[in-house]
Amino acid sequence: MTEIHLTGRAASPGLAIGPVTVLAAAAVESRRVTGDPAQETAALKAAIEGATAELAELVEAEQGDAADILEFQVTMLEDDALAEGAFDAIAAGTAADQAWRSALDAEIAGYRAAEDEYFRARIADLVDIRDRVIARLNGADRSAAIPGGSVVAGDDISPSAFLAADWRRGGAIVLAAGSSSSHVAMLARARGTPMVVGLGPLSWEERPPALALVDGDAGTVIFDPQPETRRLFEQRMNAANDVRAIADAGRAKPALTAGGRRITVLLNIAAPEDLAGVDPAICDGIGLVRTEFLFGASQGLPDEETQYAAYRRILDWAEGRSVTIRTLDAGGDKPIAGLTIDGESNPFLGLRGIRLSLSRPEVFRLQLRALARAAVHGPLKVMLPMVAVPSELDHSAMLLDAEIAALRADGIVCARPPLGIMVEVPAAALRAEDFDAAFYSIGSNDLTQYTMAAARDIGAVADLNDTGNPAVLALIARTVEAGRARGVEVSLCGDAAADTRLTKALLATGLTTLSVSPVAVARLKATIATVSP
């Protein structure tokens, strides 16, 4: 066999070798049609309920962004309007699987034709939902679609398909399309799974390749390598493993540049469970705790005691290190039943983050009370997401002070945590000095998306969604300057902090604090050590 060399875009770093598993389009399987509308209706209802239960199981096994992505699909499946057309077609005599496919295909076509990029970006979720329900109707088993340790090749891969696979045995993802800024790419980076996107058509004349070598750093893939090519690649993998071992050995050491400059390395976590087995000594504290894990659709809105216990658990783990907890960042692609607004024409520019919290003060006040109570157990800082104007910070500060006064009046021990903002709206970056914030934390994901007007999960504009773009770096530098002038800390907690290709450029802006997932600490510290001065 002749080697096939393809070059795409790096989406998740690392090297991998493994057998190729082609991620084919969902097969259309035959099923026994009853011909009875009542039975067909019951079959579709059962398939929808089963698919929802499958996703709910995946949600329970995940935290943070992974759970948010799946929760979105659960919310869609639980919307009766999604299946209304299918049930009407069944009543007219159409088989359940045909009715569902037609209804979802029509919905997908509508999303594809939408002017709003947000809706076009949700097509993959609808396709995933469609195929999951059809698989339930046909009795097909989707769980064994991706063998562990394989190199998955296809046009694209859905978040739920990625999360259903066991990546602990190795493997990689290589896609004809896809985006380096997509949800799946984000999940792959968090799990250390190499991923290459934008390879172009993956077509083989006779049979699919048996083996692939994947370079997630360079964005290259070699299918059916010759023995010598494989031998040299394995040498590279062994060398990379040695480098990783050295980096892992230095995880607990301070992060210093080649010139001796001290860089603070913090952790991003999505739930207390993320800290299981993690040694606090590897970090200087926690730079981002996403509190969305407390507000899952299956759990309902959390009470004050539930929140207080979770926040205290994280502070106890930190052993006196600073912990920054972000207030609820719902909305956009993170809907929460009973809280977020349905039917917004552009949810990413709608009622999300601090805007939503201020519009629901009864929910916001409860979270602020729990945070103020937890603040007596360690150096807690509270961060507000999606702040655009100073009045949002000021209003939040008034609510926090009011709740602290109420707690003290009731004899409940509490403390006032420093209140800072997440800088992810260009307006906040441009005028950061106008905010009376105790600290700034740059959210590079949204700051990049809003600056470049390019969504991170749309492949066609993936090249534009680049934190290394001079315009984005200029906004980061502007925020750092404002923090220096005001004498307050500035950190960066978005995906860019873990992208070691950007480390030198980020430190050049003046940043001295980066926050990443626990799995990225060793690699980041090793990269920092190569930066001069």
Side-chain angles (χ1 to χ4, degrees), residues 253-404:
K253 297 179 180 178
L256 298 171
T257 66
R261 182 160 56 119
R262 179 75 160 85
I263 303 300
T264 300
V265 175
L266 306 173
L267 300 185
N268 295 339
I269 68 165
E273 290 73 19
D274 288 356
L275 298 170
V278 177
D279 183 354
I282 71 169
C283 67
D284 298 299
I286 299 177
L288 170 63
V289 178
R290 302 176 178 94
T291 58
E292 292 75 52
F293 74 95
L294 289 163
F295 292 78
S298 59
Q299 301 163 299
L301 302 182
D303 60 23
E304 181 181 325
E305 290 302 320
T306 298
Q307 295 190 57
Y308 165 69
Y311 304 149
R312 179 172 180 178
R313 181 178 167 191
I314 295 168
L315 284 162
D316 288 344
W317 176 91
E319 299 178 349
R321 297 169 178 82
S322 68
V323 174
T324 300
I325 297 181
R326 185 178 68 187
T327 59
L328 180 63
D329 187 19
D333 58 350
K334 293 177 283 189
I336 294 177
L339 186 62
T340 50
I341 308 300
D342 294 330
E344 285 186 309
S345 62
N346 191 336
F348 280 99
L349 298 181
L351 207 59
R352 60 170 298 204
I354 192 60
R355 304 169 184 180
L356 179 64
S357 291
L358 290 173
S359 74
R360 293 292 301 272
E362 73 283 4
V363 176
F364 191 30
R365 285 176 179 272
L366 209 62
Q367 183 167 38
L368 293 175
R369 286 173 62 89
L371 288 165
R373 290 175 58 194
V376 301
H377 300 289
L380 170 66
K381 299 191 289 186
V382 175
M383 178 166 63
L384 306 174
M386 200 61 188
V387 173
V389 292
S391 60
E392 292 168 329
L393 171 60
D394 297 340
H395 191 179
S396 299
M398 290 174 58
L399 291 176
L400 175 61
D401 290 338
E403 292 310 314
I404 288 174

Side-chain angles (χ1 to χ4, degrees), residues 175-497:
L175 302 177
S179 166
S180 58
S181 302
S182 68
H183 285 146
V184 170
M186 176 186 65
L187 297 173
R189 289 190 291 269
R191 283 159 174 75
T193 302
M195 180 174 174
V196 178
V197 300
L199 290 168
L202 298 177
S203 57
W204 297 282
E205 294 180 0
E206 297 179 1
R207 63 174 180 82
L211 192 76
L213 313 178
V214 181
D215 186 336
D217 297 301
T220 60
V221 182
I222 302 174
F223 292 109
D224 283 332
Q226 295 296 321
E228 179 63 9
T229 303
R230 176 173 179 172
R231 186 185 69 81
L232 293 173
F233 189 84
E234 288 174 339
Q235 283 186 348
R236 286 185 59 207
M237 286 188 67
N238 291 335
N241 289 336
D242 291 341
V243 170
R244 187 180 302 112
I246 294 172
D248 287 342
R251 286 206 315 167
K253 297 179 180 178
L256 298 171
T257 66
R261 182 160 56 119
R262 179 75 160 85
I263 303 300
T264 300
V265 175
L266 306 173
L267 300 185
N268 295 339
I269 68 165
E273 290 73 19
D274 288 356
L275 298 170
V278 177
D279 183 354
I282 71 169
C283 67
D284 298 299
I286 299 177
L288 170 63
V289 178
R290 302 176 178 94
T291 58
E292 292 75 52
F293 74 95
L294 289 163
F295 292 78
S298 59
Q299 301 163 299
L301 302 182
D303 60 23
E304 181 181 325
E305 290 302 320
T306 298
Q307 295 190 57
Y308 165 69
Y311 304 149
R312 179 172 180 178
R313 181 178 167 191
I314 295 168
L315 284 162
D316 288 344
W317 176 91
E319 299 178 349
R321 297 169 178 82
S322 68
V323 174
T324 300
I325 297 181
R326 185 178 68 187
T327 59
L328 180 63
D329 187 19
D333 58 350
K334 293 177 283 189
I336 294 177
L339 186 62
T340 50
I341 308 300
D342 294 330
E344 285 186 309
S345 62
N346 191 336
F348 280 99
L349 298 181
L351 207 59
R352 60 170 298 204
I354 192 60
R355 304 169 184 180
L356 179 64
S357 291
L358 290 173
S359 74
R360 293 292 301 272
E362 73 283 4
V363 176
F364 191 30
R365 285 176 179 272
L366 209 62
Q367 183 167 38
L368 293 175
R369 286 173 62 89
L371 288 165
R373 290 175 58 194
V376 301
H377 300 289
L380 170 66
K381 299 191 289 186
V382 175
M383 178 166 63
L384 306 174
M386 200 61 188
V387 173
V389 292
S391 60
E392 292 168 329
L393 171 60
D394 297 340
H395 191 179
S396 299
M398 290 174 58
L399 291 176
L400 175 61
D401 290 338
E403 292 310 314
I404 288 174
L407 286 167
R408 288 173 175 164
D410 291 336
I412 299 173
V413 177
C414 63
R416 192 189 194 283
L419 197 60
I421 65 170
M422 199 164 185
V423 178
E424 48 195 337
V425 178
L430 286 167
R431 298 296 304 176
E433 63 273 16
D434 293 347
F435 294 81
D436 187 23
F439 61 92
Y440 304 110
S441 183
I442 299 167
S444 61
N445 297 353
D446 273 328
L447 183 61
T448 302
Q449 174 174 246
Y450 292 133
T451 302
M452 303 307 298
R456 64 182 182 176
D457 55 358
I458 298 177
V461 296
D463 289 342
L464 290 171
N465 190 284
D466 177 17
T467 303
N469 184 281
V472 182
L473 291 174
L475 290 177
I476 292 173
R478 183 103 169 63
T479 306
V480 171
E481 290 170 9
R484 187 181 295 119
R486 295 191 57 241
V488 301
E489 180 187 75
V490 181
S491 63
L492 188 144
C493 63
D495 275 357

